[in-house]
Amino acid sequence: MSRRSLPGLVVIVLGLIGLVVVGRDVAEPPPPFFASTGGTWMPAVGASGALTGSWYCPGVPTDGSDGVGGEVVVSNGEAAQIVGRYQILTKDGVVADERFTVGSWSQTFIDVDAVSDADFASVVVEVEGGAGFVEQVARHPLGDSVAACSNDTSPRWYVASGYTLENSVETLVLTNPFDESVVADLRFSTQNRQSQPDRFRGFIVPPRSVQTIPIAELGARDEPVIAVTVEATAGRLVVARAQEYRGGGRFGYDVSLGAPELRDQWWFADGEVADGVDETYSIYNPTDEEVEVTVFFGGLPLSASTVNEGDPIVVPPLRVVVFDPTGSNSAGDSAVVDGEPAADAVTDTTLAPGADDGFGEFPAPTIDLPEGRHATVFSTLSQPSIVVDRVITRPVAGSIATSVVMGAPPRPDGFVANTWRMGVGPTEPTERALVIYNIDQAEATVTVSVIGPDGPSAVPSLSDIALPSGSIITIDLVDSDVLGRELIVTSTSRVFIERLLPRNNDLPGRSGSWLLPVSG
Amino acid sequence: MESETHSAPPVVAVVVVHDPGDWFDETLNAFAGQDYPNLRFLFLVGEGESASSVSFETIAATVTSRLPKAFVRSLGTNPGFASAANEVGRLVEGENGFFLFCHDDIAPDPTAVRLMVEELYRSNAGAVGPKFVEWDDPSVLRSVGLGLDRFGVIDQPIERGEVDQEQHDGVRDVFVLPTACLMVRADLFRELRGFDDAINFYGEDIEFCWRMHHSGARVVVAPSARARHRGLLSQRRPDVSDVRLAARHRLRTVATMTGAARLPGRVLELVLLTFVELAVGLFTGRFKQGLASLAALVGLVPQVPSIIARRREVASTRRVPEREVLGLQQRGSARLSSFFRTRDTATYVGSGTSVRRWKESTTAPAITWIAVLILVVIGSRTFVADGIPMVGEFFPFPDSPRDLLERYVSGWNPRGTGATSPNPSGMATISMLSFATLFRMGLLHTLFIVGLVVIGLVGLWKLATVFPSTRARIAALVVYAASPLVSGAFGTGSLHVLIVFATVPWVVHTLRRSVGVETADPRTSETDVADGLVALPWPERLRRTAQIGLVVGLGAAFEPVVLVISLMVGLLLAVGTLLAFAPWRTAARYLVATVTGTVIAVLLNIPWITAWRWDALVGPPPIGDPGRGIRSLASFEIGPTNFVSLSLALYLPVVAALLLARAWRLTWAVRAGVLVIGFGALAVFGDQDRLPWAAPEAGLLLVPVAVGVAISAAASLAAFDLDVRGGSFGWRQPLGIAASAAVMVGVIPGVLAVAPGDWNTPSSPLAELVEAQLPSVPEDGPGDYSTLLIGDSRLLPVPSTEYRDGVSFAVLSDGNLDTADQWPATDRSEATIVGALDQISSKSTQRAGRLLAPLGIRYIVVPEFDGVNSTTTDPMELPEGLISALDEQLDIASAVSIPTFGFFENTSWLPTYALLTGATADASRTAGNAALVRSDLSQATPIFSGANAQSDATSGVTPGVVHLAIPFDDNWQLEVDGVGIEPRRAFGLTTAFDVETAGVATLSYVTPSTRSAVLGFQLVLWLAAFFVATRVSVPLARRRGPLVTDETLITFGDNMLITDGLSAGIDPGLDITGQIARGLGEESADEPAFDSVDEHPWVDDLMADAIEDPITLTIDDELPIEPPGPSSELEDGR
């Protein structure tokens, strides 16, 4: 070997070795990211500053019948006026496309049934600058229903608790606000079966239109619980359900959004144990995996708070489980709704009521809840996999009033708001109109502000209301200053807030819905 | 000794001298030692131009010290042999004598001149020449007269290296005699008007002898007269291209001397022969000769006027029917036949000297080349049969080269969103190349892409000529050819990698030639010569540096990163040179040559260089998950190649060469190793995104690694041949064998990769699918549009702009994709698109379609599978949230469901050329996203459908706004009924014209005047670089004046030396035909000249061939040859 070769040999051999050593260390790069996909939350009031904000309302009945109709309320809680545009969609397409303006600290009402004679009409509201928020009021002889409009569309929607016993009617309202058709597959789970009817494979929702699907027409009649999955194979849409309770121990009307995502936590503020109160929860697991669900009852004295960690609710795949915390449910008298295994759930299969489908019966957790209000939290350690609805029927003035509310999830990053807003409130003095659940174990206060002509101002009688740690309080909205006005409820702790609004139409009882959380 | 009574005809030896070396003393001594009594010398000295050249004064002193009576005259600069030798016609008067033309590197035997004179008389010839033997080894023949075929190609009747055993010593007629030592009758020389002035070097002998044959004079060789000949003109004048000049002069001679009736057929034959020569040369290492023939053939065209003139000049000397001359020529092609029967010599550089040795004679290179080319064709058979698929960067060439050239010239680049742009030089280059395929662009496309590999292989073969070992060269060729880079680049459609693959070997080759590193003498291993280094005169160094510039400039015309890689290559070669303890000057020259060549390359790419940015130089940044890993990088796995890990074996020779090699082989082993390490490190660190700057993609960086590995393989085999084999057994032998085995193992993946025939390219390339999905633009359709591509840059079929990690975007204009899409204009709409993407990703709006509308973006494509980087079995991860974010947009509709890409339509789009009215026209006067997102863009009507920058477009317009969806560019002009309208910005970005009255609008693009000027400058630069690099010169004026200012120096007359009182005055003008033979008396030309000759006893003796020493003169050493009689005007030798 030439002596001349030594330096080169050393450098090159060491270099080769070095490259091998360095080259072995390959860091795993982060996956490419464009936009957050886990951002779907419940309808929320965002910070202004966006170019535009779009709101997709669930839909209101506009078939022209007496007492049927609805309106959309655009609330502007800012000093600057809002300019926007709304489109009213029906099954025939766009029936109205108008610009609108909302003055500072005011609201604009869009009368939907004035321009639509279709069964249902949905409203898409685009607000320049992204400020404000939008809710809808669906008017019906069985009672008015208030619901927030969605900020977002989704290719998947879930409804956990349909009901068709004794002439009750559940109608799915599918809204496609886009310029392209949506192709969707629908799957149902009832007490005795789950199915994916061929008719609803590749169901087309034309561009900018609303399609309704009465569940009963699919053969899901007289079902105490019907869970639905709508999955778009092309496009995105908005899905709501219009529920008419007409029997079977239920009475009322509700139009609300489905759940655009499965979650691992669902919170409810307004549970109640009382004489004649029927409170059930429908837990829907549309996944292919069995899910164990833990239920926690809060808002109770610490000693009374309970959790069934050791005895979780088992929800089989593609099944819905009706959970009755007090065991008094007259409709689904068990904590289990039978169905067939997931593996057989691909096609339309029907089991005779009571037939053994291979699943055992799941005993309801034994829970001894005290009288009064309680909050309920359903959670699972599995990946986001469930949707939970609460159906509560309260006796009132010799009648009953049934209301169905889907649970509220925390934001995907765990955020729970301490400020909530409502554009549609009671127009007449209403006691216990707001139910507020303090999820923090800390003393807090709550203040209700009203948006007046000069901006928001705290209502003196509703300021600094004590909110004990982990407790539930109700607030009466009886002050004339707050009636028919946009309200802001602010807490010093994280809270969930439901509103119980009169059903109007001279009907007793309340219709429940969530306020809109203010996104941090 | 008894005095003879013969007369000796005067002979003037005309010696053309140029910058002679040490051998010149021997030459002079040989001249001085001639025994011919009537010999005078005329030295015509062409002065060298370099500082090291020997001065005229020195030469004159040297000559006169040995030949005091000699005339020594300066020619000034060296005009070439022919012009110099022709001066004798003026400097020597009279016809009764002989001219003996000599080079300055011959050494005739003392009797040579006399014997030639004797033979000239005896044979009654017009010219006679001696037998030439090797200078260093007189026992080896060099030539004994030459044959010639009808194509002007010399046919050497002796074998190379043939030992002189007097086997060729018979006097015989030949067709050509070298001018190295050529005796010609003075009258004949004058009648033929000397040599052809147009032939300065190489070929003047052929032309002159051909004319002699036409005149009827015999041309004979007198082997009894012997001269040693050094004959290394190519080394003495490296600035004079021997091959190209010889070819050019050969064809000029053929065109001049071939009869008019035969000329057309001869030209056709030459064309055919040239292509055969090219094909054969490709396999035999004589491709350069083939190219030279082709260039010479093409070069005949502009020479037609001068050839016609020359034919007229020589017509008067045609006295013999052409068929008789043809009968004297060889049949068939001397070149082709010589290939099969001869072998060649090569010049090797030793320690301070150059030697010419026999090259290894083997058919292995030819067989290897044939095998390699066959494998390339087999591997590309689908490409050849069906055309190149639109995989990766393999976009087709446009149908019209003119269109491409016009695009280049216009300065408008319609790619992307369009912009006035210094378009890439590659556009013009492709247009020029289309001449080669007679403008068949499909054929050119196939040849171009497949040919890039061949070009690279030829470059590497040329580079490997630094190794005098055939095995080494073959190893280098095979290793480079079998590199998985080839299959990977083809399989992934990586045109950039192929361009770099073709360029880098040539860069290294031209660099080492510019430095002066030549093939080293294989017998100098004992002296540990670091390099076979030759000293280059500065013109030659400049020429070779210009070649670097051309090579790099051509590569950069297509792929600017070639500049960066070339700089790195030069730097690493310099580092390797130092590391190998080679002279630091060599390293410095590498650096200087690299920098100079790169600067030339940069200048050649004016005006494109003004658009270069770092990310454009290095290509798209590695995005997302570039991490190929060390195994893939080391095995050159840039695409689908089976058993690619076997390529790792190629690194064994890298180390083995360092352990085994000595001398120059070691130097190259170190240089190769440094290339491997240097570029390997860049590839690894770039792969890991550890470099502080964006690195070129791995495939580009691996090309120099492959070159290094190939050189290492050659070095290890050369070392095994020269340093190991034959030595005592030890660890070196097994290591050498292992290195050889590793080469064989390492090439297996490359060989296997040819099996599929399509390099594993996908059957339905993504680009084809996208193109098929995009609708054409009919005249009355919805208007022109653009398409936005978003996704991982490795999936996007065109160069893209990084938006964020793992997400890039690019814009396609409508129309078919072609290769120009590889060169989008500088995207001034970038900020707008980024802004829109920001709004989409932050979910700030559901009307992002409006943000993209002013740019005419109608479709959005998100590639998912391209069948190469992302397959259904190994998919690349789509950027999270991209599809859903687009889905959420109210005015971006998911158009169709295609499994390979997401396809969306922007329902708010504006046609590229549109007439805006109403609210949309008003909106065009606003700016900013906030305004745009609330704009009503529905009132737009397409106009000027299919408009382009090359031609005006007309359309009827109504009052409104003519909107062009291109970033504001005032080179676009609009006239309505002949009245120009000032352009303005629309939407704060694009170009618009406010039309106030209805009329006929004409839209046109006006090329900036500065661009035309810059293009002219660029053309001049290219021509200048080409001329410098190729030694092409344009004679601006033919020199007519004498080279030497003196009047007549010598007069032939009756100055025949009388030794015995015999009357002088024999006219040696004897000729077989008698046509120009003339006796002393009045004899007619029809009479046989022999009659006249016979009257003279001296000649009679000669003719009788019975006199052993017909001219035996008593020469008094102290009394040199007497000057001629009164008629002589002999002057002092100086």
Side-chain angles (χ1 to χ4, degrees), chain A residues 192-211:
Chain A
N192 297 316
R193 59 182 173 136
Q194 75 83 33
S195 69
Q196 189 172 13
D198 290 340
R199 180 183 168 190
F200 291 95
R201 288 176 191 268
F203 183 79
I204 294 175
V205 184
R208 298 189 187 187
S209 73
V210 176
Q211 298 292 307

Side-chain angles (χ1 to χ4, degrees), chain A residues 1 4-5 7 9 12 16 19 22 25 29 32-37 50-52 54 126 128 178-180 236, chain B residues 528 580-581 659 663 666-667 677 688 690 804 841 843-847 880-881 887-889 893-894 907 934:
Chain A
M1 189 173 73
R4 212 158 53 82
S5 68
L9 183 66
I12 291 166
L16 285 173
L19 286 181
V22 172
D25 180 21
F33 173 82
F34 182 79
S36 172
T37 53
L51 285 178
T52 60
S54 297
E126 293 178 70
E128 294 169 6
F178 296 97
D179 289 334
E180 75 267 27
R236 298 162 70 94
Chain B
D528 199 17
F581 287 99
L659 292 167
L666 173 62
T667 310
I677 292 297
Q688 298 182 343
R690 290 188 181 186
R804 58 174 63 158
S841 63
K843 305 190 176 181
S844 172
T845 181
Q846 285 76 42
R847 290 289 180 186
E880 180 185 339
D887 275 336
E888 289 174 12
Q889 300 301 314
S894 179
T907 56
R934 70 170 69 112

Side-chain angles (χ1 to χ4, degrees), chain B residues 780-797:
Chain B
D780 54 351
D784 299 76
Y785 61 88
S786 295
T787 301
L788 176 66
L789 302 166
I790 315 175
D792 191 299
S793 67
R794 288 165 292 178
L795 295 182
L796 303 186

Side-chain angles (χ1 to χ4, degrees), chain B residues 31 472 571 573 590 618 856 955 1062:
Chain B
F31 285 144
L571 177 64
L573 288 176
Y590 268 114
V618 300
S955 179
L1062 185 67

Side-chain angles (χ1 to χ4, degrees), chain B residues 262-524:
Chain B
R262 289 182 170 82
L263 191 56
R266 189 63 37 82
V267 171
L268 280 178
E269 287 179 320
L270 280 171
V271 170
L272 287 174
L273 186 67
T274 300
F275 283 107
V276 171
E277 198 177 348
L278 276 172
V280 174
L282 192 62
F283 302 133
T284 60
R286 300 183 184 189
F287 190 68
K288 186 178 179 182
Q289 292 179 343
L291 277 183
S293 295
L294 181 64
L297 194 61
V298 175
L300 283 179
V301 177
Q303 290 187 55
V304 166
S306 89
I307 288 173
I308 291 174
R310 181 66 181 166
R311 288 177 66 88
R312 285 181 184 146
E313 285 176 18
V314 303
S316 61
T317 62
R318 290 176 182 270
R319 293 192 171 84
V320 175
E322 189 177 20
R323 64 177 180 278
E324 291 185 19
V325 177
L326 286 175
L328 298 173
Q329 292 178 329
Q330 297 295 118
R331 288 181 171 277
S333 167
R335 171 153 299 164
L336 290 182
S337 58
S338 72
F339 166 69
F340 295 104
R341 73 168 194 244
T342 66
R343 56 187 185 137
D344 207 353
T345 59
T347 301
Y348 299 122
V349 181
S351 180
T353 59
S354 295
V355 293
R356 197 158 181 88
R357 300 191 193 282
W358 294 113
K359 290 201 293 189
E360 291 182 24
S361 179
T362 172
T363 54
I367 294 172
T368 306
W369 264 106
I370 291 171
V372 167
L373 292 178
I374 286 176
L375 286 176
V376 169
V377 172
I378 290 175
S380 310
R381 59 186 182 273
T382 307
F383 290 8
V384 174
D386 304 332
I388 306 287
M390 282 176 58
V391 178
E393 298 154 354
F394 288 167
F395 285 176
F397 289 168
D399 293 336
S400 165
R402 180 182 171 185
D403 175 55
L404 198 60
L405 189 60
E406 285 179 348
R407 270 192 257 169
Y408 175 72
V409 172
S410 77
W412 174 253
N413 189 337
R415 303 299 154 184
T417 51
T420 294
S421 167
N423 290 330
S425 313
M427 283 187 179
T429 309
I430 291 172
S431 297
M432 296 296 117
L433 288 175
S434 66
F435 280 97
T437 57
L438 301 177
F439 313 111
R440 296 184 61 183
M441 299 302 278
L443 175 63
L444 177 64
H445 187 232
T446 304
L447 289 178
F448 181 77
I449 288 178
V450 178
L452 284 173
V453 171
V454 178
I455 290 171
L457 297 181
V458 171
L460 196 89
W461 182 260
K462 301 286 290 182
L463 171 61
T465 55
V466 294
F467 297 99
S469 158
T470 300
R471 277 193 351 123
R473 294 177 185 182
I474 290 175
L477 173 69
V478 171
V479 166
Y480 197 54
S483 158
L485 283 176
V486 175
S487 56
F490 276 129
T492 57
S494 185
L495 181 62
H496 293 158
V497 171
L498 288 178
I499 287 170
V500 176
F501 184 88
T503 307
V504 171
W506 285 99
V507 171
V508 181
H509 172 63
T510 51
L511 271 176
R512 66 97 179 163
R513 274 179 52 80
S514 176
V515 169
V517 176
E518 298 289 352
T519 311
D521 186 356
R523 300 183 192 175
T524 59

Side-chain angles (χ1 to χ4, degrees), chain A residues 102-149:
Chain A
V102 186
S104 58
W105 319 118
S106 66
Q107 295 179 308
T108 288
F109 297 84
I110 301 169
D111 188 358
V112 181
D113 53 296
V115 295
S116 170
D117 58 359
D119 289 348
F120 273 87
S122 295
V123 180
V124 177
V125 179
E126 293 178 70
V127 180
E128 294 169 6
F133 61 97
V134 183
E135 295 162 296
Q136 73 165 30
V137 181
R139 305 195 188 286
H140 194 272
L142 294 177
D144 294 350
S145 171
V146 175
C149 298

